[in-house]
Amino acid sequence: MHTECNSQGVLFQGLCAKKITADFKGGSITSDAGGLLLAEIERARGFIKEFSQCFADHRDPVRIDHSVKELLSQRVMAIALGYEDLNDHDRLRSDPLLAALSGKSDPQGRDRRCARDRGVALAGKSTLNRLELTAAEADPSSRYKKIVCDEKRVERYFVQMFLDSYDKAPEEIILDIDATDDVIYGNQEGRFFHGYYDHYCYLPLYIFCGEHPLVAVLRTSDRDAASGSKQHLERVIHQIRNRWPRVRILVRGDSGFCRDEIMSWCESQQNVFFILGMARNQRLRRMIGKAMGKAQRRFGTTGKPARVFRTFAYRTHKSWSRKRKVVAKAEYLPKGENARFIVTNLSHSHGSGRYLYEKIYCARGDMENRIKEQQLWLFADRTSTAQMRSNQLRLWFSTVAYMLVAELRRVGLKGTRMAKAQAGTIRNRLLKIGALVKVSVRRVLVSMSSAFPLADLFLRIIHNIRAQYPLLA
């Protein structure tokens, strides 16, 4: 359907005697001037630049207008700015600011090879689509799709960028591991119904260290949540150990990862610990009967929730290869008993059972916020292509976009009132800024709205980034 606003102004309710009309003929105006902050982060850390090294480009360089880095920059920056669909790029490809953010030396596209493309600097949806759909076996003889992603190299890339974020090795790091559902609605490859989530979905596996993503692997949902997690932990920890041989590593996860192979592997390694949730059963409940009774009596006396912790050695009848330390929380609430259990190989010197549960284990909930942040605001669940490989690539695009935003928060927003803002808030408050863009021979002038209420904060962010990375100044 041809919309009226593309050809002529739209009349709105008048203001006194004046008519109000609107159209889309304003020229070089962007709604995403705050993307300049993301460009500063990229210039400092090179997230997209390093990511582009994970791709092999078999195209004839004489016949291309967009390098792999430029294509990836366009796609990742657009995701960070709120544009999840490839169709969006049929309009966005004319945005000179997005072109500048993507590394285009000519943001107006005047140097394009084909006359029909001149005046449009960026790639359209078809070119970006070919980037996503290239097969693993593509080579120079392939007809259209020739940019191949090296998946093993991408896996190493995420850990490498995490390691590079530290000036020196920390004494201890905590690796949070979790799985989530990624709902699918079509007939995508690997489509399965998951009984727990009650819908068709993928089951991606994540490993984070704080705000740093180390693993983001798309999996089919016809498996246990912990499936393959031991192999990914081995790979990640081995790569970390190569850089930081003495760092103490704690693996933390919920009861879905309480598996003997994971715990046994951690126990076989030097300075690798685990703290994992455990599913409740009647045998465990009987073992904390006295502690639960004590909690119930406290509740009866005070009328307030009461907790009693107990630590003991425990071994399952069949699934565990040895006895392990279990911390039980016997809690009594107005609604009744609330028993929880964790298993760990941390010694008493690391803290009491209460401390291990309340301060160390329960802190894993923040990792779930990172996953939700990526899905809700950075479109990690936009896995709507027909193939698993291309959907995995989309998950990685989202993860790189998350890395940009998380670094902006960690460095740029440090010490400000938005230091803990989520990605959606950062985008709405700081990235979505209206601006007039003027391109000359020597510069790109971005004139932002004089009415922008967070102008002082914007300048503070620039100062923080350049103080952290002096070479940018």
Side-chain angles (χ1 to χ4, degrees):
M1 177 179 177
H2 182 68
T3 55
E4 183 184 9
C5 60
N6 289 333
S7 58
Q8 65 184 47
V10 179
L11 183 64
F12 289 91
Q13 183 176 351
L15 178 65
C16 298
K18 297 180 180 179
K19 294 181 179 179
I20 299 178
T21 61
D23 60 32
F24 289 89
K25 300 177 182 178
S28 296
I29 298 175
T30 183
S31 60
D32 304 305
L36 292 168
L37 298 175
L38 298 178
E40 286 287 291
I41 293 296
E42 170 59 23
R43 195 155 66 100
R45 291 297 314 276
F47 289 121
I48 302 174
K49 179 182 178 182
E50 294 298 323
F51 186 46
S52 68
Q53 300 303 308
C54 303
F55 293 77
D57 189 356
H58 298 301
R59 298 174 299 171
D60 183 351
V62 177
R63 298 185 177 185
I64 63 174
D65 284 337
H66 314 291
S67 68
V68 173
K69 179 181 177 296
E70 290 169 346
L71 291 173
L72 293 173
S73 296
Q74 178 182 344
R75 188 74 167 100
V76 171
M77 285 288 184
I79 290 173
L81 292 170
Y83 304 105
E84 73 271 31
D85 286 327
L86 291 181
N87 289 341
D88 296 330
H89 290 267
D90 274 357
R91 287 271 189 169
L92 291 172
R93 63 195 299 236
S94 301
D95 186 339
L97 181 63
L98 181 57
L101 301 181
S102 302
K104 287 291 186 180
S105 58
D106 177 18
Q108 293 180 309
R110 293 174 177 173
D111 59 354
R112 296 289 299 272
R113 283 188 317 106
C114 298
R116 66 182 181 183
D117 293 326
R118 288 172 192 154
V120 179
L122 294 170
K125 63 182 179 182
S126 298
T127 302
L128 293 171
N129 183 255
R130 288 196 290 271
L131 170 68
E132 294 183 358
L133 297 182
T134 303
E137 63 275 9
D139 58 29
S141 65
S142 301
R143 186 169 184 181
Y144 295 120
K145 305 176 182 67
K146 300 183 180 184
I147 303 174
V148 182
C149 175
D150 184 338
E151 296 186 349
K152 295 298 182 183
R153 194 166 179 177
V154 174
E155 290 178 348
R156 295 192 296 272
Y157 154 81
F158 287 115
V159 182
Q160 188 63 47
M161 297 309 296
F162 160 68
L163 295 170
D164 291 345
S165 68
Y166 285 79
D167 294 327
K168 61 179 182 179
E171 292 184 4
E172 180 183 74
I173 59 174
I174 299 177
L175 304 184
D176 284 306
I177 186 167
D178 204 356
T180 189
D181 62 318
D182 174 2
V183 184
I184 56 178
Y185 300 97
N187 291 315
Q188 288 98 321
E189 180 185 8
R191 179 177 185 264
F192 288 97
F193 185 86
H194 197 288
Y196 176 79
Y197 293 112
D198 197 29
H199 49 229
Y200 289 92
C201 62
Y202 291 130
L203 195 67
L205 176 72
Y206 288 93
I207 298 178
F208 274 77
C209 183
E211 291 191 332
H212 300 275
L214 306 182
V215 171
V217 176
L218 196 66
R219 306 176 301 172
T220 57
S221 61
D222 59 333
R223 65 186 65 210
D224 179 62
S227 176
S229 55
K230 172 179 170 288
Q231 290 72 24
H232 287 290
L233 283 170
E234 283 188 71
R235 173 181 59 79
V236 168
I237 291 175
H238 176 72
Q239 189 173 348
I240 292 172
R241 281 277 191 244
N242 284 339
R243 175 80 71 90
W244 301 333
R246 294 184 177 87
V247 66
R248 184 168 62 251
I249 298 173
L250 175 62
V251 177
R252 184 167 60 185
D254 63 19
S255 60
F257 298 88
C258 184
R259 301 292 182 266
D260 187 70
E261 66 167 358
I262 294 175
M263 294 184 286
S264 295
W265 183 82
C266 291
E267 290 161 343
S268 70
Q269 305 299 304
Q270 185 176 6
N271 229 10
V272 176
F273 302 93
F274 61 83
I275 186 165
L276 303 168
M278 286 181 63
R280 289 171 290 185
N281 59 51
Q282 290 301 315
R283 183 174 164 215
L284 286 169
R285 174 60 186 85
R286 288 194 298 270
M287 295 178 74
I288 63 166
K290 291 183 178 180
M292 186 62 76
K294 186 176 181 180
Q296 184 175 3
R297 288 191 295 274
R298 285 185 183 176
F299 173 79
T301 301
T302 64
K304 297 180 180 179
R307 287 182 173 184
V308 175
F309 287 86
R310 186 190 166 198
T311 301
F312 54 90
Y314 176 81
R315 179 180 180 177
T316 63
H317 289 309
K318 295 181 180 179
S319 58
W320 287 9
S321 58
R322 54 176 292 181
K323 284 187 176 182
R324 295 186 171 99
K325 176 181 176 180
V326 170
V327 175
K329 180 192 73 169
E331 184 176 41
Y332 204 88
L333 305 171
K335 63 180 181 181
E337 295 182 0
N338 180 40
R340 292 290 187 270
F341 303 89
I342 59 173
V343 58
T344 183
N345 63 340
L346 291 170
S347 67
H348 183 71
S349 62
H350 290 89
S352 64
R354 176 184 289 272
Y355 178 84
L356 294 179
Y357 181 86
E358 293 182 341
K359 301 300 182 182
I360 298 182
Y361 176 73
C362 288
R364 62 165 294 278
D366 190 58
M367 189 256 194
E368 296 179 359
N369 293 331
R370 306 284 75 80
I371 296 176
K372 291 177 182 177
E373 191 175 25
Q374 194 178 339
Q375 285 193 326
L376 291 174
W377 300 109
L378 296 166
F379 318 112
D381 57 353
R382 194 65 173 174
T383 48
S384 55
T385 74
Q387 301 169 1
M388 282 284 292
R389 179 179 171 83
S390 50
N391 284 327
Q392 172 66 83
L393 195 54
R394 285 190 171 189
L395 176 58
W396 284 334
F397 289 163
S398 169
T399 305
V400 178
Y402 170 82
M403 292 163 67
L404 280 172
V405 177
E407 186 75 357
L408 174 60
R409 175 171 53 206
R410 186 178 72 88
V411 176
L413 291 170
K414 183 179 180 181
T416 73
R417 62 183 182 275
M418 289 183 62
K420 295 183 179 181
Q422 291 193 338
T425 303
I426 292 171
R427 176 192 296 149
N428 293 337
R429 301 296 304 279
L430 293 171
L431 304 185
K432 290 296 182 182
I433 308 173
L436 178 66
V437 183
K438 296 180 181 179
V439 181
S440 66
V441 175
R442 295 185 178 181
R443 65 176 181 172
V444 178
L445 176 62
V446 182
S447 299
M448 288 178 270
S449 171
S450 301
F452 179 52
L454 298 180
D456 291 341
L457 177 59
F458 191 94
L459 296 176
R460 169 77 180 279
I461 293 169
I462 294 292
H463 172 78
N464 286 350
I465 294 173
R466 293 180 178 175
Q468 178 72 23
Y469 304 107
L471 293 178
L472 293 181

